[in-house]
Amino acid sequence: MSLKANIVVLTGAGISAESGLKTFRDNNGLWEQHRVEEVATPEAFAANPALVYRFYNARRAQLKQDDIKPNAAHLALAALEKACLGDFLLVTQNVDNLHQRAGSEQLIAMHGQLNQARCLKSHKTVVISGDLDSTTLCQCCQPPSAMRPDIVWFGEIPKQMNKIESALRRADLFIAIGTSGQVYPAAGFAQLAAHSGAKTVELNMEKSGLAFDAGHYGPASNVVPEYIRSLIGDGYRV
Ligand code: BJW
């Protein structure tokens, strides 16, 4: 079955939890005793670049492990995109590549991607697969410049905000999945979509505390395929 509606989906770390990637704010959310706020800021990078490179190198390496792969929730969203006859946009706060690997195409990685590096001088991005450190140089500048992880840190502006906000204003349905709603601007998307007349739905392990018209709670790999089947019918299986 197909679906004639403009849909915006926002995902957070919870959708990748059952793929083996830790969320940020659960009990295990520390990395070598550091909270995310201590490594994911421009100030942290300026003060201790080696630590920050190491943090992102470890997480990039983890993506290559055989057991880290898209789960049923990622696959269900790729199926929803195919069934959607209106405008569809998947906005992820995640920096992993699991939505891309599941086949999602209309996708904005608003907080950047582990598999990209950015030139500190020109801000051009390149795809990387290995480690990055202060000796990794760009190929776009003369003399070559150092590179940083292409990640949106606290205090920086998330990517493609104009495109996201315009999709939210046109949305008939907004679905937030696996996000605690503690980090802005993503935490404000449901309200923006609702003001423009969209129905808002939360799919999460537990209620986030933000206001939604409806919510379904449990592990993403159960709740997301179930909800998407309720939209596009039983013909779809993952
Ligand atoms: C499951 C599950 C399962 C578990 N199934 N569910 C004061 C007030 C308001 C705002 C601010 C303020 N002070 C500063 C700000 C702004 C700041 C901010 O929001 N700070 C807050 C901490 C207060 N934001 C920014 O600085 C942003 N930039 C900005 O605002 O620029 C200004 C601007 C914006 C727009 C236009 C113009 C100007 C930048 C934010 C960058 C965030 N970066 C990070 C780290 C980098 C990426 C990385 O290293 O990976 O992004 S922080 C971290 O949090 C990461 C995540 O993307 C983000 C969100 O976390 P998420 O995904 O929600 O994960 P969790 O762990 O919090 O939640 C997981 C959820 O899943 C939970 O609900 C679980 O229950 C659930 N779950 N298992 C289903 N199996």
Side-chain angles (χ1 to χ4, degrees), residues 13 18 24-25 56 59 93 111 152 155-156 179-180 184 204 220:
E18 291 158 83
F24 291 94
R25 293 172 184 83
Y56 288 102
R59 291 175 57 202
Q93 298 169 87
H111 289 165
V152 177
E156 299 183 325
T179 177
S180 61
Y184 287 84
N204 206 3

Side-chain angles (χ1 to χ4, degrees), residues 95-166:
V95 297
D96 63 47
N97 56 3
L98 297 181
H99 285 305
Q100 292 90 333
R101 286 167 58 187
S104 289
E105 289 175 3
Q106 297 303 318
L107 171 68
I108 293 178
M110 66 177 288
H111 289 165
Q113 298 184 57
L114 285 170
N115 284 336
Q116 284 187 183
R118 193 191 320 157
C119 170
L120 284 173
K121 208 190 289 174
S122 74
H123 309 292
K124 284 187 182 150
T125 58
V126 288
V127 173
I128 53 163
S129 58
D131 284 355
L132 191 66
D133 63 29
S134 54
T135 67
T136 316
L137 297 177
C138 76
Q139 296 199 336
C140 51
C141 300
Q142 202 50 254
S145 157
M147 314 271 281
R148 59 167 271 184
D150 187 28
I151 300 290
V152 177
W153 290 325
F154 284 108
E156 299 183 325
I157 299 179
K159 293 175 185 271
Q160 300 195 55
M161 283 306 300
N162 289 342
K163 193 171 169 191
I164 295 171
E165 284 171 5
S166 117

Side-chain angles (χ1 to χ4, degrees), residues 208-231:
S208 64
L210 299 177
F212 289 92
D213 296 320
H216 303 272
Y217 299 95
S221 67
N222 292 344
V223 170
V224 177
E226 210 169 279
Y227 176 72
I228 287 176
R229 254 181 235 123
S230 78
L231 293 178

